[in-house]
Amino acid sequence: MKAHKHNLLAAAIALSLTAPAIAQDDSPALEEVMVTAQKRPQSLRDVPLSVNALGGEKIESAGITNIETMADYIPSFNMTQTGIGTNIAIRGISSGVNQGFEQSAAQFIDGIHYGRAQLSRAPFLDIERVEVLRGPQSIIFGKNSTAGAISITTAKPGDELEGKLSALYEPEHGEQDVRLILSGPISDTVGGRLAILQSSLDGYMENTTLDRDESGDKNRVIRATLQWQPSDLWDITLKMEDGSFDSNGRNIEVVKPVGGSYANALSFFTQGAYQLDTTHDWKRQSNGDYSYNDTENITLNIERELGEHTITSVTGYNAYTYQELCDCDFTGASGFNILSDEDYSQVSQELRIASPEDETISYLGGVFFQSSSLKFHDAVRVPTDSFIATAFSSLLGAQAANLLRGASTQRDFEQDTDLAAIFAQGTWNFTDLSRLIVGARYTQETKEASRHQYHVSNTGVTLPQGTTAQPYNLIWSQFKIDPHAVKGDRDESGFTPLITFQHDFWGTDMVYLSYTTGFKSGGFDVRANAAPNALDGIYPNIEGTWEFEEEKVRNFEAGAKLVLADGAAELNVAAFRSEFKDMQTSQFDGSLSFNVTNAGEAVVQGLEVDGRWAVIDNVMLRGGAAYIDFEYTDFPNSQCYFGQPASERNPTNPTVCDATGKRREFTPEIQGNMGIDYTLNFSNGLKLVNTLDVIYSTEYLTTPSLDPKFEQPSYTKINARIALSGNDDMWELALIGKNLTDESVVTYANGLPVATTVSSGTGYYAFYERPRNIALQGTIRF
C-alpha cells in the first residue's frame, strides 16, 4: 500500500494560521440554529432536551458522507459495522446485530422512519441539517427510540435558480466523489430540486489473497424533489429517491489468536498470526466479500394552514434489497462463507395537527400507521476444498468430511408488522417564564413471523428435518445448528408518558427537568441456528432462541441552555440517568449463530456539554464532550469470552457468564471534540476558511463478550480543512485532511466463527477505521 503523505496539508495549515488577519468587529453575535426536534421550527436554545445539530454547510465542509463519519462531531454517538450487520449507539445504547431488532437509535429522513439498521450505511446527499436527539424519543418520534433519534432533513427547492457541482479526489485510497445539484422555480407556484451523487473508494486494507485494496465502495444516489405552493395556505412536497451503496471486500484484519493449535493454524492460513496492529500496514486474507444494496424512497409531505392551526400529512414508501457475501472464516484458505439476501418494504402514514406556539396552552398531536414486510435468507456454505471439512476427517471420519464438502445449511425468515399509534404533547405556559410540557403515546403493534432452518446436501437436495440418525444433522450439530421450523405472532401495546418543566431566565437562558419513558417492541430472532427445544428441534443439548420480549427504559434528565458573552457564546449542559429493563442483546455462540437474549437491567448515566463561541467575527470556537457511566446491574446470561475464568461464569449454566457490574462494549468513559473556524477576508474578494477539529476518546472494550484482551486504547484524531473561495463564494478549492494523527482505531471486534469447533483455541477479527487521508475538493456554483 502507498505511504501516507501529509506534508502539503501541514504546511498549508501553518501558513493559514500565521497569515495576518483583517480587522473585524469586536462584538460578534452567533447565528441562531433552527431545528425541528419537536416537529415544529424552533430555536435550538428553546428545545428542552439534549440535541446536537449539524447544518448542511458543516456536513459538506467536514467531508461527512454518512452517519458513521458524522460520529466524530457528536459525543456519545457512535456507529459501527460488524461482520453481519450495523450498530448505531446513543449514550452507549444500541440494538445489536439481528434483523429482528427494532432500532434503539432510530433514523428518520424527512419524517419517515428508516427502521432497519442496513439503511444507516446509505450515503448523505444534499442535506439541510442532521439532528441527533439523545435519550428516549417515545412521543413524537415513536416508541422504538429508546436511545434517541437521528432526524435528517434534506434540502428543498429554493426561490432562485441555482446549481452546484463539486468533485473530490483523494489519491491515497482512490476516493472520488462527484455531486451535482440543480434547484429553482419551475413556475410561480412550483419549485424543483435535483441532486445526484456518484462516488467510489478503492480501499485502505490490502487483501493479499486477491491482490487488491478493500473495501472497494461505490455509491450512487438520484433524488428529485418537487414543491408546490398553490397558495399561502398549502405547501406540498414530493420527494423521490433511488440509490445504491455497494462494497467489495471488508475493512477486517485477523488479530490476537489465542491457543496453540488455532494460533498455528492462523499462522499457516494467514501467513502470520497477527496481533493488534498499530502500524496501518493492514493486511487481510479473504477469498472475497461483498455487500450490494439498492434503496428507493417516496415521501409526500402536505401542510395546510387551517385558521391558526397547521395540519400535516406525511406519507412514505421505503424499500431496500441487499445481497451480502461474507467469507466468514476470515482467512485466505477455503473454509466457509455466508450468502445473505434481504428484502424489506414499508408504507407509513402520519397525520398531525399543531396549534400556535404563542398561546397559554399549545399542543401537537396526531396518529401514525406503518405496515412493513421483511424477508431474509442466508446460507452457510462449505466449499469442496474447505479446510473445515478436512478437520472433520479426524473428528467424525472421512465419510462425514466428504458429505460436508459442497453442502450448506440455510435459513428462511419472514415477518409482517403492523403498527398504529396515537400521540399528543401539550405545553402550558403558566407564567411568561415557566411552562409545563406533558405528552403521551399509545401504540398497538402486531408481528407475524416464521423461521425455517434446513440443510442442503452436497448434491443440492433440500433435506427434511429428520432425526439424529440423519448424517447431515449430526455433522451440522457440531456447529450448534439444529434444523427446525417455527412460527409465532405477537400483539403488544404500550403507553409512554413524558413530563417536562422548563423555565427561562433573563430572556436568553433556559433550564429544564424531564422524565420520559420508552419501550422497544419485542419480536423474533432472525439469526438463531436452533429453536428453543420446547418449540422444535431434535438435539436437546442445542438450545436456541426464537421470541424475545420488549425493552423498557425510564429516563431522568436535567439541562440548561445558556447564552454568554453578550450573545457571542452559548453553552448547553445535560445530566441524565437512564434505567433499562429487559435490554435486548445479541450473543455470539462461538460457532455460527447470534442468539437474542434480554439482558436484564442496566443503568446509563452521565453528563453532556457542548457549545460555541464567536471570539471575533472571523474566529469561531466550538466543541462538546460527554461523560458516560454504563453498568449492567443484572446480566447473568452474558456471552463468555474464550478462557473466561470459572468464577465469572453462571453457576447454574457455565456456558454463559455473569456480566453484572460490568461496562458495555463501545462505551468510552469520555468522548469529546473541539474545533476552530478561522476566516480571512482579503481585499481582492478572496476568502480563506480554515477549520481544525480535534476528536478524543478514552479507551473502550470492542467485543460484545467484553473480553479485556481486546481493548481499544484512548486516541486523539485531528481533522482539518483549508478552503479558498472567491467571487462571492461562486467557486471554492479546498484541501481536506482526516485522521491526520494517523490513529489506529478499532470500531468492532468479535471471536472468529467456528474457531473453537475446529481447534482448542480462538482468534478475533477487527474492523479498523480509515487511516490518514488527504483529499482535494473543488466546487462551482452557478
Side-chain angles (χ1 to χ4, degrees):
M1 298 177 69
K2 303 168 189 167
H4 301 295
K5 299 184 178 103
H6 61 283
N7 292 336
L8 178 61
L9 184 63
I13 291 174
L15 286 173
S16 64
L17 293 182
T18 57
I22 306 301
Q24 302 287 343
D25 186 353
D26 291 330
S27 302
L30 290 174
E31 182 179 350
E32 190 173 30
V33 177
M34 300 300 294
V35 296
T36 53
Q38 298 191 109
K39 296 292 179 77
R40 300 174 182 266
Q42 290 178 295
S43 170
L44 184 59
R45 297 172 180 172
D46 297 331
V47 179
L49 55 90
S50 182
V51 183
N52 270 106
L54 292 177
E57 184 177 348
K58 177 61 179 177
I59 291 171
E60 183 178 348
S61 65
I64 298 172
T65 56
N66 53 28
I67 288 179
E68 187 171 13
T69 54
M70 184 179 70
D72 278 347
Y73 301 91
I74 300 179
S76 73
F77 173 75
N78 301 92
M79 172 181 159
T80 60
Q81 293 191 36
T82 75
I84 55 171
T86 304
N87 278 332
I88 301 178
I90 297 177
R91 293 177 173 173
I93 302 299
S94 63
S95 287
V97 181
N98 198 287
Q99 278 79 0
F101 283 143
E102 306 299 334
Q103 295 305 295
S104 301
Q107 179 184 1
F108 298 83
I109 300 182
D110 294 325
I112 301 299
H113 184 211
Y114 280 46
R116 315 321 294 177
Q118 193 74 6
L119 290 169
S120 62
R121 298 187 187 183
F124 282 175
L125 171 64
D126 197 24
I127 301 297
E128 180 179 307
R129 68 182 177 279
V130 177
E131 303 167 34
V132 177
L133 290 64
R134 301 184 181 108
Q137 305 299 318
S138 53
I139 310 302
I140 296 177
F141 283 95
K143 69 178 182 62
N144 287 321
S145 308
T146 53
I150 304 104
S151 178
I152 301 173
T153 303
T154 60
K156 303 298 186 295
D159 295 330
E160 297 181 359
L161 186 63
E162 59 178 335
K164 182 172 71 173
L165 175 65
S166 65
L168 178 144
Y169 176 64
E170 193 278 327
E172 182 70 16
H173 306 135
E175 182 181 10
Q176 301 179 57
D177 187 302
V178 179
R179 299 166 188 248
L180 174 66
I181 298 169
L182 300 173
S183 180
I186 298 174
S187 70
D188 291 341
T189 59
V190 178
R193 192 175 186 95
L194 176 67
I196 301 173
L197 162 68
Q198 187 80 36
S199 67
S200 63
L201 175 72
D202 291 343
Y204 53 88
M205 186 167 288
E206 183 182 2
N207 184 333
T208 59
T209 305
L210 301 178
D211 191 26
R212 70 182 188 186
D213 286 345
E214 294 182 352
S215 64
D217 301 336
K218 291 185 178 180
N219 301 311
R220 175 193 58 83
V221 180
I222 300 175
R223 179 191 304 144
T225 305
L226 291 173
Q227 186 175 31
W228 181 33
Q229 297 174 310
S231 72
D232 293 340
L233 301 178
W234 290 91
D235 191 339
I236 302 171
T237 303
L238 175 66
K239 183 190 74 176
M240 297 170 287
E241 181 178 290
D242 182 81
S244 64
F245 50 100
D246 302 332
S247 299
N248 283 291
R250 292 170 179 248
N251 308 320
I252 292 176
E253 186 176 45
V254 173
V255 293
K256 287 185 177 291
V258 181
S261 61
Y262 197 71
N264 292 335
L266 276 181
S267 180
F268 176 78
F269 289 121
T270 67
Q271 304 170 9
Y274 293 103
Q275 301 299 318
L276 184 60
D277 194 335
T278 59
T279 66
H280 308 307
D281 187 22
W282 292 320
K283 292 181 172 61
R284 69 180 303 241
Q285 292 73 36
S286 169
N287 297 300
D289 309 81
Y290 61 75
S291 176
Y292 301 148
N293 303 262
D294 293 294
T295 64
E296 54 183 323
N297 168 263
I298 302 174
T299 302
L300 177 63
N301 189 302
I302 302 174
E303 286 193 1
R304 171 69 158 87
E305 299 297 325
L306 194 64
E308 295 184 337
H309 289 70
T310 302
I311 307 294
T312 303
S313 167
V314 182
T315 308
Y317 168 76
N318 188 27
Y320 70 84
T321 60
Y322 81 76
Q323 184 180 85
E324 288 190 345
L325 177 67
C326 175
D327 185 21
C328 281
D329 56 71
F330 302 122
T331 71
S334 179
F336 74 98
N337 58 61
I338 301 177
L339 182 64
S340 303
D341 299 89
E342 186 172 333
D343 190 339
Y344 176 81
S345 63
Q346 74 173 44
V347 292
S348 62
Q349 176 64 57
E350 181 173 279
L351 291 171
R352 298 194 307 268
I353 182 170
S355 71
E357 259 195 299
D358 55 356
E359 302 293 330
T360 302
I361 295 179
S362 63
Y363 56 86
L364 181 148
V367 293
F368 176 77
F369 305 93
Q370 180 174 294
S371 180
S372 63
S373 173
L374 171 67
K375 295 181 180 179
F376 178 81
H377 171 82
D378 68 348
V380 180
R381 309 184 302 181
V382 181
T384 56
D385 58 346
S386 169
F387 72 84
I388 294 176
T390 303
F392 265 78
S393 295
S394 58
L395 184 65
L396 295 177
Q399 182 180 3
N402 290 332
L403 289 175
L404 189 57
R405 292 187 176 95
S408 65
T409 181
Q410 303 191 24
R411 170 176 32 234
D412 293 320
F413 178 90
E414 294 188 11
Q415 177 174 283
D416 292 318
T417 304
D418 292 307
L419 184 151
I422 182 169
F423 60 93
Q425 183 167 300
T427 301
W428 176 29
N429 298 284
F430 56 89
T431 74
D432 290 340
L433 300 177
S434 301
R435 62 199 61 87
L436 188 68
I437 303 171
V438 178
R441 187 181 188 103
Y442 177 79
T443 305
Q444 184 77 30
E445 184 172 15
T446 61
K447 290 181 178 179
E448 295 182 358
S450 64
R451 188 180 75 208
H452 182 204
Q453 183 81 42
Y454 55 94
H455 304 324
V456 177
S457 73
N458 55 12
T459 60
V461 176
T462 299
L463 303 172
Q465 181 170 326
T467 66
T468 55
Q470 210 261 49
Y472 277 102
N473 287 347
L474 177 62
I475 292 171
W476 287 108
S477 71
Q478 306 304 307
F479 301 96
K480 303 180 182 179
I481 301 176
D482 192 2
H484 60 273
V486 291
K487 293 183 179 181
D489 60 80
R490 292 179 60 87
D491 189 347
E492 58 185 314
S493 60
F495 178 75
T496 50
L498 167 150
I499 184 168
T500 300
F501 170 75
Q502 186 177 355
H503 183 74
D504 298 335
F505 290 96
W506 308 299
T508 57
D509 300 343
M510 179 266 285
V511 297
Y512 65 92
L513 296 169
S514 70
Y515 169 74
T516 58
T517 62
F519 81 99
K520 187 173 65 168
S521 63
F524 301 97
D525 191 343
V526 176
R527 287 193 172 273
N529 288 334
N533 286 314
L535 294 179
D536 200 359
I538 59 177
Y539 287 96
N541 62 321
I542 304 177
E543 181 71 14
T545 54
W546 171 232
E547 189 170 355
F548 54 92
E549 299 307 314
E550 66 186 39
E551 174 182 294
K552 298 177 284 291
V553 60
R554 297 189 305 168
N555 185 73
F556 307 87
E557 186 166 309
K561 301 195 175 183
L562 311 174
V563 177
L564 309 171
D566 294 327
E570 62 183 16
L571 180 67
N572 306 315
V573 182
F576 66 91
R577 177 183 173 91
S578 298
E579 300 172 350
F580 285 83
K581 284 189 175 183
D582 297 322
M583 182 178 288
Q584 299 165 1
T585 63
S586 180
Q587 305 288 308
F588 179 51
D589 70 352
S591 183
L592 290 170
S593 180
F594 284 81
N595 297 321
V596 170
T597 183
N598 289 91
E601 299 180 4
V603 172
V604 190
Q605 55 192 357
L607 180 69
E608 295 159 341
V609 180
D610 66 82
R612 53 188 182 137
W613 177 26
V615 183
I616 54 178
D617 272 355
N618 64 334
V619 176
M620 172 77 76
L621 293 177
R622 51 191 161 67
Y627 166 78
I628 301 292
D629 177 25
F630 186 107
E631 181 184 4
Y632 285 117
T633 53
D634 181 26
F635 192 6
N637 56 336
S638 173
Q639 170 189 342
C640 297
Y641 59 81
F642 181 81
Q644 190 157 356
S647 61
E648 298 183 11
R649 293 178 181 265
N650 190 315
T652 61
N653 182 8
T655 63
V656 297
C657 290
D658 192 343
T660 302
K662 292 191 174 183
R663 191 181 189 94
R664 194 178 190 179
E665 73 277 13
F666 311 113
T667 55
E669 189 173 50
I670 297 175
Q671 285 182 300
N673 65 78
M674 180 171 290
I676 180 171
D677 301 323
Y678 175 42
T679 303
L680 290 169
N681 293 294
F682 299 102
S683 58
N684 58 3
L686 296 178
K687 180 171 68 175
L688 191 67
V689 179
N690 309 276
T691 300
L692 186 69
D693 291 289
V694 180
I695 299 101
Y696 173 76
S697 173
T698 56
E699 67 278 357
Y700 55 85
L701 296 174
T702 61
T703 69
S705 63
L706 309 181
D707 192 335
K709 292 189 294 294
F710 210 176
E711 180 182 85
Q712 167 64 43
S714 61
Y715 62 84
T716 301
K717 295 192 299 184
I718 294 179
N719 297 341
R721 185 177 192 265
I722 300 170
L724 180 68
S725 61
N727 193 21
D728 294 329
D729 293 330
M730 296 302 290
W731 62 266
E732 181 184 73
L733 187 64
L735 196 61
I736 303 172
K738 298 181 183 178
N739 193 8
L740 294 176
T741 46
D742 213 16
E743 292 283 350
S744 179
V745 178
V746 174
T747 58
Y748 181 85
N750 213 334
L752 290 173
V754 309
T756 55
T757 303
V758 300
S759 79
S760 60
T762 190
Y764 297 87
Y765 65 91
F767 278 82
Y768 282 89
E769 273 191 11
R770 189 173 172 183
R772 179 191 297 122
N773 58 97
I774 300 170
L776 185 66
Q777 182 185 54
T779 301
I780 298 175
R781 295 177 174 85
F782 49 90

PDB file of all heavy atoms in Angstrom, residues 335-346:
ATOM      1  N   GLY A 335     -12.557 -22.019   3.749  1.00  0.00           N
ATOM      2  CA  GLY A 335     -13.187 -22.512   4.967  1.00  0.00           C
ATOM      3  C   GLY A 335     -14.689 -22.616   4.811  1.00  0.00           C
ATOM      4  O   GLY A 335     -15.228 -23.681   4.545  1.00  0.00           O
ATOM      5  N   PHE A 336     -15.392 -21.478   4.970  1.00  0.00           N
ATOM      6  CA  PHE A 336     -16.824 -21.433   4.727  1.00  0.00           C
ATOM      7  C   PHE A 336     -17.194 -19.988   4.424  1.00  0.00           C
ATOM      8  O   PHE A 336     -16.422 -19.057   4.698  1.00  0.00           O
ATOM      9  CB  PHE A 336     -17.621 -21.954   5.931  1.00  0.00           C
ATOM     10  CG  PHE A 336     -17.662 -21.004   7.086  1.00  0.00           C
ATOM     11  CD1 PHE A 336     -18.748 -20.166   7.285  1.00  0.00           C
ATOM     12  CD2 PHE A 336     -16.612 -20.938   7.987  1.00  0.00           C
ATOM     13  CE1 PHE A 336     -18.789 -19.281   8.351  1.00  0.00           C
ATOM     14  CE2 PHE A 336     -16.649 -20.052   9.060  1.00  0.00           C
ATOM     15  CZ  PHE A 336     -17.731 -19.229   9.239  1.00  0.00           C
ATOM     16  N   ASN A 337     -18.358 -19.783   3.839  1.00  0.00           N
ATOM     17  CA  ASN A 337     -18.858 -18.434   3.604  1.00  0.00           C
ATOM     18  C   ASN A 337     -20.356 -18.405   3.864  1.00  0.00           C
ATOM     19  O   ASN A 337     -21.008 -19.446   3.934  1.00  0.00           O
ATOM     20  CB  ASN A 337     -18.514 -17.947   2.190  1.00  0.00           C
ATOM     21  CG  ASN A 337     -19.072 -18.844   1.109  1.00  0.00           C
ATOM     22  OD1 ASN A 337     -20.285 -19.029   0.999  1.00  0.00           O
ATOM     23  ND2 ASN A 337     -18.188 -19.427   0.293  1.00  0.00           N
ATOM     24  N   ILE A 338     -20.871 -17.178   4.028  1.00  0.00           N
ATOM     25  CA  ILE A 338     -22.295 -16.978   4.288  1.00  0.00           C
ATOM     26  C   ILE A 338     -22.851 -16.024   3.239  1.00  0.00           C
ATOM     27  O   ILE A 338     -22.369 -14.896   3.107  1.00  0.00           O
ATOM     28  CB  ILE A 338     -22.537 -16.412   5.692  1.00  0.00           C
ATOM     29  CG1 ILE A 338     -21.982 -17.357   6.765  1.00  0.00           C
ATOM     30  CG2 ILE A 338     -24.030 -16.176   5.921  1.00  0.00           C
ATOM     31  CD1 ILE A 338     -22.111 -16.825   8.180  1.00  0.00           C
ATOM     32  N   LEU A 339     -23.844 -16.463   2.497  1.00  0.00           N
ATOM     33  CA  LEU A 339     -24.516 -15.650   1.493  1.00  0.00           C
ATOM     34  C   LEU A 339     -25.882 -15.259   2.031  1.00  0.00           C
ATOM     35  O   LEU A 339     -26.683 -16.118   2.389  1.00  0.00           O
ATOM     36  CB  LEU A 339     -24.664 -16.419   0.185  1.00  0.00           C
ATOM     37  CG  LEU A 339     -25.321 -15.658  -0.974  1.00  0.00           C
ATOM     38  CD1 LEU A 339     -24.462 -14.471  -1.405  1.00  0.00           C
ATOM     39  CD2 LEU A 339     -25.592 -16.583  -2.157  1.00  0.00           C
ATOM     40  N   SER A 340     -26.136 -13.938   2.118  1.00  0.00           N
ATOM     41  CA  SER A 340     -27.383 -13.436   2.702  1.00  0.00           C
ATOM     42  C   SER A 340     -28.132 -12.568   1.703  1.00  0.00           C
ATOM     43  O   SER A 340     -27.514 -11.821   0.923  1.00  0.00           O
ATOM     44  CB  SER A 340     -27.092 -12.600   3.959  1.00  0.00           C
ATOM     45  OG  SER A 340     -26.362 -13.338   4.906  1.00  0.00           O
ATOM     46  N   ASP A 341     -29.449 -12.658   1.742  1.00  0.00           N
ATOM     47  CA  ASP A 341     -30.327 -11.803   0.944  1.00  0.00           C
ATOM     48  C   ASP A 341     -31.414 -11.254   1.856  1.00  0.00           C
ATOM     49  O   ASP A 341     -31.972 -11.988   2.673  1.00  0.00           O
ATOM     50  CB  ASP A 341     -30.986 -12.588  -0.195  1.00  0.00           C
ATOM     51  CG  ASP A 341     -29.988 -13.177  -1.160  1.00  0.00           C
ATOM     52  OD1 ASP A 341     -29.533 -14.326  -0.920  1.00  0.00           O
ATOM     53  OD2 ASP A 341     -29.659 -12.499  -2.132  1.00  0.00           O
ATOM     54  N   GLU A 342     -31.722  -9.963   1.677  1.00  0.00           N
ATOM     55  CA  GLU A 342     -32.798  -9.359   2.463  1.00  0.00           C
ATOM     56  C   GLU A 342     -33.631  -8.462   1.558  1.00  0.00           C
ATOM     57  O   GLU A 342     -33.093  -7.750   0.707  1.00  0.00           O
ATOM     58  CB  GLU A 342     -32.231  -8.550   3.628  1.00  0.00           C
ATOM     59  CG  GLU A 342     -33.301  -8.015   4.562  1.00  0.00           C
ATOM     60  CD  GLU A 342     -32.719  -7.388   5.822  1.00  0.00           C
ATOM     61  OE1 GLU A 342     -31.611  -7.778   6.230  1.00  0.00           O
ATOM     62  OE2 GLU A 342     -33.383  -6.491   6.386  1.00  0.00           O
ATOM     63  N   ASP A 343     -34.943  -8.509   1.769  1.00  0.00           N
ATOM     64  CA  ASP A 343     -35.892  -7.702   1.006  1.00  0.00           C
ATOM     65  C   ASP A 343     -36.853  -7.078   2.005  1.00  0.00           C
ATOM     66  O   ASP A 343     -37.560  -7.792   2.725  1.00  0.00           O
ATOM     67  CB  ASP A 343     -36.640  -8.595   0.009  1.00  0.00           C
ATOM     68  CG  ASP A 343     -37.478  -7.787  -0.983  1.00  0.00           C
ATOM     69  OD1 ASP A 343     -37.801  -6.620  -0.676  1.00  0.00           O
ATOM     70  OD2 ASP A 343     -37.814  -8.319  -2.044  1.00  0.00           O
ATOM     71  N   TYR A 344     -36.862  -5.739   2.055  1.00  0.00           N
ATOM     72  CA  TYR A 344     -37.688  -5.041   3.043  1.00  0.00           C
ATOM     73  C   TYR A 344     -38.477  -3.936   2.363  1.00  0.00           C
ATOM     74  O   TYR A 344     -37.960  -3.233   1.480  1.00  0.00           O
ATOM     75  CB  TYR A 344     -36.804  -4.431   4.137  1.00  0.00           C
ATOM     76  CG  TYR A 344     -37.572  -3.610   5.149  1.00  0.00           C
ATOM     77  CD1 TYR A 344     -38.251  -4.218   6.199  1.00  0.00           C
ATOM     78  CD2 TYR A 344     -37.614  -2.221   5.052  1.00  0.00           C
ATOM     79  CE1 TYR A 344     -38.949  -3.463   7.129  1.00  0.00           C
ATOM     80  CE2 TYR A 344     -38.317  -1.452   5.979  1.00  0.00           C
ATOM     81  CZ  TYR A 344     -38.985  -2.087   7.009  1.00  0.00           C
ATOM     82  OH  TYR A 344     -39.682  -1.343   7.913  1.00  0.00           O
ATOM     83  N   SER A 345     -39.713  -3.764   2.788  1.00  0.00           N
ATOM     84  CA  SER A 345     -40.529  -2.648   2.287  1.00  0.00           C
ATOM     85  C   SER A 345     -41.470  -2.197   3.394  1.00  0.00           C
ATOM     86  O   SER A 345     -41.887  -2.993   4.243  1.00  0.00           O
ATOM     87  CB  SER A 345     -41.321  -3.058   1.045  1.00  0.00           C
ATOM     88  OG  SER A 345     -42.243  -4.085   1.353  1.00  0.00           O
ATOM     89  N   GLN A 346     -41.801  -0.903   3.364  1.00  0.00           N
ATOM     90  CA  GLN A 346     -42.743  -0.363   4.350  1.00  0.00           C
ATOM     91  C   GLN A 346     -43.520   0.782   3.736  1.00  0.00           C
ATOM     92  O   GLN A 346     -43.031   1.489   2.852  1.00  0.00           O
ATOM     93  CB  GLN A 346     -42.017   0.124   5.609  1.00  0.00           C
ATOM     94  CG  GLN A 346     -41.254   1.423   5.424  1.00  0.00           C
ATOM     95  CD  GLN A 346     -40.665   1.991   6.692  1.00  0.00           C
ATOM     96  OE1 GLN A 346     -40.094   1.249   7.487  1.00  0.00           O
ATOM     97  NE2 GLN A 346     -40.777   3.306   6.877  1.00  0.00           N
TER      98      GLN A 346
END
